[in-house]
Amino acid sequence: MAEQIKVLLTEKEVDDRIQELGDQISKDYAGKEVHLICILKGGSFFMCELAKRITVPVSFDFMSVSSYGGDTKSSGVVRIVKDLDESIQGKDVIVIEDIVDSGRTLSYLLEMLHDRGPKSLRLCTLLDKPSRRVIQVPVDYTGFQIPDEFVVGYGLDYDQKYRNLPYIGVVEFV
């Protein structure tokens, strides 16, 4: 089965919204330093663009968590593939995610990070699919709410393909 990509959000729409998120985070953290935790691999494009637009001091680290494999639906089994390199104790932390779907992975991850003693812990996602939520997670900063479609681009992939698209697209199987 072949696939084709239909544009859902243009590069300009994504860029403009990331600027707005950067402005809001800069305002919310005025006078503080913020520590970003990027969830790999999908969150990397978003975090890089967002970090450039945050005007307060920024530090960051990376985690890799797997729950999809080569499928279009989460398996529900969360594996920590790469953990943080440094402690987050006492830091103002924002977890940067590409998409919030069922909430299973992020619920597990946020609970684990909370137990590590950050001063504050918030979640920022480029895309949110609230209709797919199985476990509620507090999303503090949302780029776009999207319908229940399988999306790619801007770091999101289908079986490791399409991450490099500069827009958000919907995978259509033909």
Side-chain angles (χ1 to χ4, degrees):
M1 189 181 326
E3 65 260 9
Q4 62 186 27
I5 310 301
K6 177 184 77 177
V7 175
L8 178 66
L9 298 164
T10 67
E11 183 175 4
K12 179 167 179 16
E13 288 174 308
V14 173
D15 193 53
D16 289 350
R17 184 64 184 131
I18 292 173
Q19 181 63 57
E20 292 170 1
L21 289 170
D23 292 345
Q24 185 62 53
I25 290 168
S26 298
K27 182 179 160 194
D28 292 351
Y29 288 87
K32 299 178 182 178
E33 182 175 316
V34 65
H35 186 72
L36 307 179
I37 296 177
C38 176
I39 307 304
L40 296 171
K41 298 176 185 170
S44 60
F45 284 70
F46 177 42
M47 188 190 76
C48 289
E49 292 302 316
L50 180 63
K52 290 191 294 187
R53 291 162 174 84
I54 295 174
T55 58
V56 299
V58 170
S59 59
F60 49 84
D61 205 342
F62 299 89
M63 287 188 88
S64 183
V65 184
S66 176
S67 66
Y68 278 81
D71 202 354
T72 60
K73 289 191 168 46
S74 173
S75 66
V77 177
V78 179
R79 285 187 318 121
I80 303 293
V81 180
K82 183 217 173 295
D83 206 340
L84 298 174
D85 291 332
E86 57 186 68
S87 171
I88 59 170
Q89 188 163 359
K91 294 182 180 180
D92 288 308
V93 173
I94 302 177
V95 174
I96 307 297
E97 181 64 287
D98 54 0
I99 189 165
V100 179
D101 196 321
S102 71
R104 285 187 187 104
T105 301
L106 279 170
S107 175
Y108 172 84
L109 191 61
L110 290 171
E111 186 176 318
M112 183 184 76
L113 292 172
H114 181 267
D115 290 345
R116 296 183 183 187
K119 182 176 180 182
S120 67
L121 181 63
R122 289 187 170 170
L123 173 61
C124 178
T125 187
L126 179 59
L127 304 173
D128 188 8
K129 281 191 200 176
S131 66
R132 299 261 310 141
R133 202 77 84 246
V134 174
I135 298 174
Q136 292 305 313
V137 291
V139 182
D140 301 285
Y141 303 99
T142 301
F144 300 93
Q145 283 194 356
I146 61 168
D148 184 13
E149 296 184 276
F150 194 79
V151 291
V152 294
Y154 225 88
L156 295 123
D157 74 297
Y158 171 64
D159 204 19
Q160 298 299 328
K161 296 185 289 188
Y162 308 116
R163 286 188 196 280
N164 62 319
L165 297 176
Y167 56 87
I168 303 296
V170 175
V171 177
E172 296 179 331
F173 297 96
V174 292

